Amino acid sequence: MSGFFGCVSRKECVADVFYGTDYHSHLGTKKAGMAFYNGEDFVRSIHSIESAYFRNKFEPDLERFIGSYLGIGIISDMESQPITVTSHLGRFAVVAVGRIDNLEEISARLLKEKIHFAEMSGSSINPTEVISILINQGETFKEGIENVYRTIKGSCSFLILTDSCIYAARDKLGRTPVIIGKNEFGYVVASESSSFTNLDYNIVRDLGPHEAVRVSKDGVTTIIAPGCRKQICS
């Protein structure tokens, strides 16, 4: 299991993403990471949390993120995240929660298409990099998200950080939760809403299964409508 947290705000959001991600620490055991857009560039940090707490690992990095109004964070079971990408869609970062049952099948097809993998988790292909490649195969982020839904067997909820917004997508059967929160400065999206109270955010709503939204400082727009089937992971 893993957990993510993202924020789009009218004020600097570094502290909110830092603490919001830390509140998900019970959902992962191996890796953690954060990525921010500071108005000019994407800045990323990834650490192992096997032998130290999230806060101890990431506090020295916070100065690198100063001035950022958009950011995402992840507590990950195994793979290194976030993945950062430069593509025809622009520059973006991805974090993901779930399990891809047909990862080998997808990876073999992509290799036949002469697509290479650079982000390795040990000797294995990083599932989040596979998701980023599937997103990039769309002409738009909406088409890319639909391609992920269409291709992946298993469960996959994810966040995409761009230079203007965050795209949030919930697993097509809603196995893992994705919740949106709000305060006077902007919006957050997270795997668990327990972080919202301590950070002064109010719950807006849960995403439906198969739903994808665009989250900006001005509001939340549905780009893929929720589906009818739901199979929540117990």
Side-chain angles (χ1 to χ4, degrees):
M1 192 63 180
S2 303
F4 55 54
F5 186 96
C7 180
V8 182
S9 182
R10 293 185 182 87
K11 67 179 183 68
E12 184 179 285
C13 69
V14 176
D16 285 359
V17 175
F18 173 70
Y19 289 111
T21 303
D22 181 51
Y23 288 133
H24 290 77
S25 290
H26 61 287
L27 294 177
T29 57
K30 298 285 187 180
K31 301 282 188 177
M34 296 190 295
F36 293 87
Y37 179 70
N38 62 15
E40 297 181 356
D41 201 4
F42 286 79
V43 187
R44 179 182 72 161
S45 179
I46 299 172
H47 292 291
S48 168
I49 53 172
E50 292 183 83
S51 59
Y53 292 115
F54 174 89
R55 294 190 186 187
N56 293 342
K57 284 285 189 175
F58 284 89
E59 275 181 338
D61 296 336
L62 295 183
E63 288 187 2
R64 297 175 53 217
F65 307 133
I66 289 174
S68 301
Y69 291 72
L70 301 95
I72 55 176
I74 182 82
I75 299 291
S76 182
D77 253 352
M78 298 296 293
E79 60 268 13
S80 298
Q81 305 185 57
I83 298 296
T84 54
V85 177
T86 300
S87 76
H88 72 100
L89 295 172
R91 187 107 164 126
F92 63 91
V94 181
V95 294
V97 170
R99 173 177 170 173
I100 304 175
D101 291 334
N102 59 336
L103 180 63
E104 291 186 6
E105 174 190 327
I106 297 171
S107 302
R109 175 174 64 80
L110 293 174
L111 288 171
K112 285 183 179 179
E113 296 173 4
K114 297 181 173 59
I115 294 173
H116 73 276
F117 301 96
E119 298 277 355
M120 306 298 287
S121 295
S123 59
S124 303
I125 289 172
N126 190 319
T128 307
E129 183 177 18
V130 172
I131 293 167
S132 71
I133 293 171
L134 295 175
I135 293 167
N136 187 49
Q137 290 181 330
E139 292 300 320
T140 63
F141 282 110
K142 177 179 181 293
E143 288 186 10
I145 294 169
E146 288 173 333
N147 188 41
V148 175
Y149 285 153
R150 185 168 54 248
T151 305
I152 284 178
K153 296 177 182 178
S155 172
C156 180
S157 297
F158 53 97
L159 301 180
I160 307 169
L161 172 69
T162 74
D163 59 7
S164 61
C165 68
I166 291 174
Y167 291 93
R170 186 177 180 184
D171 170 74
K172 58 188 175 183
L173 292 180
R175 293 184 179 94
T176 52
V178 178
I179 308 102
I180 298 171
K182 177 184 179 182
N183 68 7
E184 61 181 309
F185 299 108
Y187 292 84
V188 291
V189 57
S191 298
E192 292 192 350
S193 60
S194 56
S195 59
F196 292 0
T197 301
N198 290 338
L199 296 174
D200 292 325
Y201 288 90
N202 298 313
I203 296 175
V204 174
R205 67 179 181 91
D206 288 39
L207 265 62
H210 193 270
E211 184 177 7
V213 297
R214 181 184 187 274
V215 184
S216 73
K217 62 182 182 298
D218 299 315
V220 179
T221 305
T222 298
I223 61 170
I224 299 176
C228 299
R229 295 180 60 197
K230 181 180 283 189
Q231 187 176 331
I232 298 173
C233 177
S234 59

